[in-house]
Amino acid sequence: MTLNLRRLAGWALIAGPIVALLGYLAANLLAPGTGEEVYRYHLWPLFEGIALAGDVVVALGLPVLLTFAGRAPRLHLAGYVGIFAALVMLNLGEGTTEAFVKPYLVAHGGLPAQEPAGFAAFEGVALLALVAGSLCLGIAILRARVLPWWIGVAVIVSCVIGALGLPGAWFLLPDGLFFAALFAIGLIAVRRGSRGDGAADAVV
């Protein structure tokens, strides 16, 4: 990856997580009620659409992860593939349904009692990709010793917390932690691109 592309990808990992997290926070904290009621909130599609736009930007910046592979290139590649697949399947695929399809269904008779056939399997594959990708990336960062160690720990912890299924708005905590790790990676990529070298930043 050229220095210019590294900087662009880095900026994508800086801007994308901020936009996505703001969208998710707005949608889930400002929408009144629970269950189907949240989909009746008139600003729900807007906020979820903002989050989706942020996710697209994140997806465009993810390849910069491979430039930090160091001594763990295969683990970095596995982490990138798993996270990219989960981002596309969950945040973008299922996110589009949450943002636009469910509000439409609620306004036209309500949500169906049963999910479409195969949807549970789709979610299962996406969640498996997320867990495998997060663990691989976190371990890869720790082994490569190119990025600060706490970024690798944050990626792994976000996966563990997400598996716990936190109640209420707390379920956004693992997403926030993961986006914070991506933001830090983007910041480091931009700094290195600005210096025009590949020297490692200090581990803090």
Side-chain angles (χ1 to χ4, degrees), residues 60-199:
L60 294 175
L62 277 183
V64 80
L65 295 176
L66 301 177
T67 66
F68 297 103
R71 296 179 297 179
R74 293 181 179 178
L75 273 176
H76 263 86
L77 180 60
Y80 164 74
V81 171
I83 290 171
F84 182 83
L87 183 69
V88 171
M89 297 174 73
L90 290 176
N91 293 46
L92 296 179
E94 188 178 354
T96 302
T97 301
E98 291 283 328
F100 307 114
V101 177
K102 287 187 176 181
Y104 176 84
L105 292 176
V106 167
H108 294 78
L111 297 177
Q114 294 183 342
E115 294 181 340
F119 193 71
F122 176 86
E123 285 186 322
V125 172
L127 290 173
L128 180 62
L130 177 61
V131 171
S134 298
L135 293 178
C136 286
L137 180 62
I139 295 171
I141 291 174
L142 294 175
R143 288 189 59 185
R145 298 184 181 180
V146 176
L147 293 168
W149 62 269
W150 59 266
I151 295 179
V153 172
V155 172
I156 295 174
V157 170
S158 70
C159 177
V160 174
I161 296 177
L164 297 177
L166 298 179
W170 286 104
F171 83 94
L172 290 173
L173 180 61
D175 287 341
L177 191 58
F178 188 77
F179 281 143
L182 292 182
F183 176 89
I185 294 173
L187 194 61
I188 293 172
V190 169
R191 286 177 176 175
R192 293 185 185 182
S194 298
R195 291 202 305 263
D197 59 34

Side-chain angles (χ1 to χ4, degrees), residues 40-70:
R40 300 182 188 278
Y41 182 46
H42 67 288
L43 292 179
W44 176 269
L46 172 63
F47 292 149
E48 285 286 310
I50 292 173
L52 286 172
D55 290 328
V56 171
V57 177
V58 169
L60 294 175
L62 277 183
V64 80
L65 295 176
L66 301 177
T67 66
F68 297 103

